[in-house]
Amino acid sequence: MTRVADRFTNGFDAEVVRAWIADDPDPQTAISLEHILAEAESGDEAAVADLEDRFSGPLVFGTAGLRGEIAAGPNRMNRAVVIRAAAGLAAFLADTVGEGFEVVIGCDARYKSAEFAADTAAVITAAGGVAIQLPEQLPTPLLAYALLKRGADAGVMVTASHNPPADNGYKVYLGQRPLQAIGSEADAEAGAGAQIVSPADALIAEKISAVESVASVSRAESGWEHLDESIVEDYLSRIDDLGVRAESDLSIVLTSLHGVGAGVAEAALTRTGFTSLQPVASQQAPDPDFPTVSFPNPEEAGALDESFALAREVGAELIIANDPDADRFSAAIPDATAAVGYRQLSGDEVGLLLVEDAATRLEAGTHHASGADAPVFANSIVSSRALAAAAASHGYAAVNTLTGFKWISRVAGLVFGYEEALGYCVDPAAVRDKDGISAAVTFAALASRLKAAGSSIEAELDRIRNRDGYFATAPLSFRLDDVSLIATAMAKLRENPPATLAGSPVAEVHDLSAGYEGLPPTDGILLLSESNSRVIVRPSGTEPKLKCYLEVVAEPSEIQAAADADARAAASAGVRLPTASASASLKPALTERLNSISTELKAFLAL
């Protein structure tokens, strides 16, 4: 079998394109490449540049699997690329596990997701494996749950999560047997059910690169297993077993942002006692075009506008938003001072509330992990240091990991983990990944419990901050068409980092590529000022972005001092201040400090 090249080696090469077209199993992408090739051969420079990009090399398979624009060519997401990836995964599993290896396969509702999932099942079956397909259009946490539930050797989720509509992706998880074959028993136990990390990614990538052509890959026409909806019922029953339930009537607005989480999320909330649910109708049905949002990501400005409008209309007490594959969760609460009437909580605020909730219930013996030996809390290094402070207040251990749940979920003894990008794992024994549905149910239960006790989410944040200090965070991202600018910015930071952060001298500079506090090397820079302000800068692993994570800290004494100063100023002016949280008095100063650091970084990076 002649190898079909997956890249140009000496500039534009029409024969390489023709060979790829002949090997493409999808007429749609084959025809599109034929048109571009014809334009390139007629002298169209833009078409030549397009092909040079598409054939710059294969889409890189790494710890995030595959992710990219749906289009023709080796550097895009398409059936040819997916079949090669499935063949590489199958070869890796055949080597490490042997014939009869099991792979669970799920997909979201994006363009080509169902075809990519079916191609994967066909390849796995023909390679001597057992392919197990989930019902179509289910959330990513269902795939992670099914992998552990079945004790399978691998899982594949076809999704691009919250990426733009033009993208799709291929997420790979491994079970215990292949991990045992390539590592230690401890590594296998810690990583079973989680997304891949090194060396598994490199080993699978080697097998993918060894695939000569799509034509050389056998594909079965049938013979794989189809799971029925009982897997969803099993997952919902597991959420029931968490023991979190509505303790007061709570009006909730719910959106899935045109993704696949609506049905499962509504069912999970309803069966745990939440009956006042108001879905955002225009965003509940899966739609791969994501017509009402610029980016289908709850973090993006404007993503929750329709939720805010409905919440104002019905007087909702909580807004719950999932991203399109429902592995992320965001919350918003009423706020009379906000222009839209609601305040979206940051990922760090939700993470802090959930760690406090878990620690409190562990102490009370009402948490599902009560009785576990040495419970541990974890978050990614770019997330707030408030988690460690809260865990310590309850006498529990906390650890930092590299960014991504492939690392967080591997922490031994984990009972709760989160990352600031709206990812939370409240039940690592069942879903060793972020899960926006079980997290949403747990958060709603907390909100209802606080309401029943005459408190609120805002008051609970205030209570924790008065005890541990106020850790205020803010993101700063640069989306760049020219990705070379990301490497240039990182080099600039390494060679000549900023000397101050908001007027405080930078006391420590750590290049994370050399490792940091026991963490494996990663591309990033950490700056720490004398006032304990912290900045971490890193390239995004899934998008063309440079991401900056800002954090400033105030001690409990500073919070009280600011509240006392506000009270004295009000008394001197003869006015009566409305009842407010103590930490609210310090928020403007911390926000100003964050804004100052953001402005300094923008000027320094000049992006």
Side-chain angles (χ1 to χ4, degrees):
M1 178 67 67
T2 302
R3 170 173 290 276
V4 174
D6 56 13
R7 70 197 75 194
F8 294 158
T9 54
N10 292 299
F12 170 63
D13 187 332
E15 293 310 309
V16 168
V17 181
R18 288 192 179 92
W20 185 273
I21 291 170
D23 192 46
D24 194 333
D26 188 338
Q28 184 179 2
T29 47
I31 290 170
S32 71
L33 263 188
E34 286 175 353
H35 290 160
I36 299 168
L37 177 60
E39 292 170 353
E41 291 187 310
S42 69
D44 188 324
E45 293 183 3
V48 171
D50 185 11
L51 288 174
E52 287 177 341
D53 182 54
R54 290 171 189 252
F55 285 81
S56 59
L59 200 62
V60 176
F61 184 92
T63 56
L66 297 170
R67 192 174 293 191
E69 180 185 352
I70 304 167
N75 194 28
R76 299 290 189 270
M77 280 296 296
N78 50 67
R79 290 184 61 202
V81 166
V82 165
I83 289 168
R84 286 171 174 244
L89 175 62
F92 165 79
L93 292 171
D95 281 355
T96 55
V97 176
E99 192 169 346
F101 58 85
E102 288 193 357
V103 181
V104 183
I105 305 161
C107 68
D108 66 10
R110 285 177 179 264
Y111 288 114
K112 297 291 183 179
S113 284
E115 292 97 320
F116 294 166
D119 281 332
T120 300
V123 171
I124 295 298
T125 302
V130 177
I132 306 161
Q133 268 199 301
L134 288 167
E136 288 184 6
Q137 300 190 3
L138 284 180
T140 293
L142 261 294
L143 183 279
Y145 173 80
L147 170 59
L148 282 179
K149 177 76 174 176
R150 290 287 302 237
D153 298 305
V156 171
M157 183 66 195
V158 181
T159 180
S161 191
H162 57 278
N163 273 40
D167 292 357
N168 212 328
Y170 198 80
K171 230 183 239 190
V172 176
Y173 301 72
L174 288 180
Q176 192 155 353
R177 291 201 297 172
L179 290 172
Q180 285 173 330
I182 64 172
S184 68
E185 187 71 32
D187 289 342
E189 186 172 337
Q195 292 183 57
I196 56 172
V197 297
S198 181
D201 59 335
L203 293 172
I204 297 170
E206 284 179 15
K207 296 294 186 181
I208 294 172
S209 65
V211 176
E212 294 188 339
S213 63
V214 174
S216 70
V217 178
S218 297
R219 282 178 282 155
E221 295 185 1
S222 61
W224 50 91
E225 182 179 344
H226 291 270
L227 291 183
D228 60 25
E229 293 293 331
S230 64
I231 190 64
V232 179
E233 177 59 30
D234 287 346
Y235 170 78
L236 292 172
S237 294
R238 176 67 190 195
I239 291 179
D240 265 345
D241 292 341
L242 298 182
V244 293
R245 305 196 67 80
E247 296 186 20
S248 63
D249 184 34
L250 195 71
S251 173
I252 300 174
V253 160
L254 180 69
T255 180
S256 67
L257 294 183
H258 304 291
V260 296
V264 180
E266 289 180 42
L269 287 162
T270 300
R271 65 193 293 158
T272 49
F274 295 95
T275 57
S276 183
L277 301 177
Q278 298 284 341
V280 179
S282 62
Q283 297 177 334
Q284 288 305 88
D287 188 331
D289 289 318
F290 307 107
T292 68
V293 290
S294 299
F295 286 95
N297 181 354
E299 291 180 291
E300 296 285 346
L304 298 191
D305 285 354
E306 298 208 6
S307 297
F308 293 145
L310 179 59
R312 289 193 299 271
E313 181 183 330
V314 301
E317 297 163 279
L318 177 65
I319 295 172
I320 287 174
N322 288 125
D323 70 337
D325 69 329
D327 63 350
R328 287 173 170 84
F329 148 69
S330 185
I333 57 175
D335 185 345
T337 67
V340 296
Y342 288 82
R343 181 172 80 85
Q344 185 175 6
L345 299 172
S346 72
D348 284 317
E349 287 177 316
V350 172
L352 176 58
L353 289 160
L354 288 176
V355 68
E356 179 71 14
D357 172 62
T360 300
R361 291 190 291 118
L362 278 169
E363 290 175 332
T366 58
H367 191 277
H368 61 281
S370 294
D373 293 334
V376 176
F377 293 83
N379 62 355
S380 60
I381 189 173
V382 298
S383 302
S384 175
R385 292 166 285 174
L387 175 139
S393 290
H394 290 275
Y396 294 120
V399 299
N400 281 326
T401 73
L402 294 183
T403 304
F405 265 84
K406 57 184 175 283
W407 300 110
I408 295 170
S409 64
R410 281 177 157 77
V411 171
L414 183 69
V415 294
F416 170 74
Y418 95 94
E419 61 183 2
E420 52 73 43
L422 310 183
Y424 314 94
C425 178
V426 300
D427 187 17
V431 178
R432 200 164 274 183
D433 197 5
K434 54 188 176 292
D435 183 346
I437 295 173
S438 60
V441 171
T442 304
F443 191 87
L446 169 62
S448 73
R449 186 160 61 252
L450 291 169
K451 179 184 176 182
S455 185
S456 67
I457 291 293
E458 203 70 77
E460 179 70 352
L461 282 170
D462 192 48
R463 182 186 69 80
I464 300 167
R465 288 165 176 163
N466 278 303
R467 183 192 68 201
D468 300 334
Y470 194 154
F471 295 76
T473 61
L476 173 63
S477 293
F478 301 90
R479 185 179 289 272
L480 301 167
D481 292 330
D482 182 357
V483 294
S484 69
L485 295 175
I486 296 175
T488 301
M490 292 301 296
K492 183 177 182 180
L493 277 167
R494 288 186 168 96
E495 293 164 7
N496 184 30
T500 62
L501 297 175
S504 177
V506 171
E508 298 179 26
V509 179
H510 298 279
D511 187 342
L512 302 184
S513 66
Y516 176 70
E517 294 187 345
L519 294 178
T522 188
D523 190 6
I525 297 291
L526 184 153
L527 311 173
L528 190 66
S529 78
E530 290 182 359
S531 65
N532 206 21
S533 295
R534 188 188 71 174
V535 169
I536 297 177
V537 183
R538 58 178 283 272
S540 169
T542 57
E543 300 176 89
K545 280 184 177 182
L546 184 69
K547 304 187 81 171
C548 310
Y549 307 83
L550 322 180
E551 182 173 54
V552 297
V553 185
E555 297 298 321
S557 58
E558 295 178 71
I559 298 173
Q560 191 56 53
D564 291 345
D566 277 357
R568 287 194 300 270
S572 176
V575 298
R576 184 174 180 178
L577 291 176
T579 302
S581 68
S583 60
S585 296
L586 194 59
K587 184 176 181 179
L590 294 179
T591 300
E592 182 179 350
R593 208 182 304 171
L594 287 168
N595 289 339
S596 177
I597 294 173
S598 180
T599 300
E600 291 167 358
L601 282 174
K602 288 176 182 177
F604 178 86
L605 295 170
L607 293 174

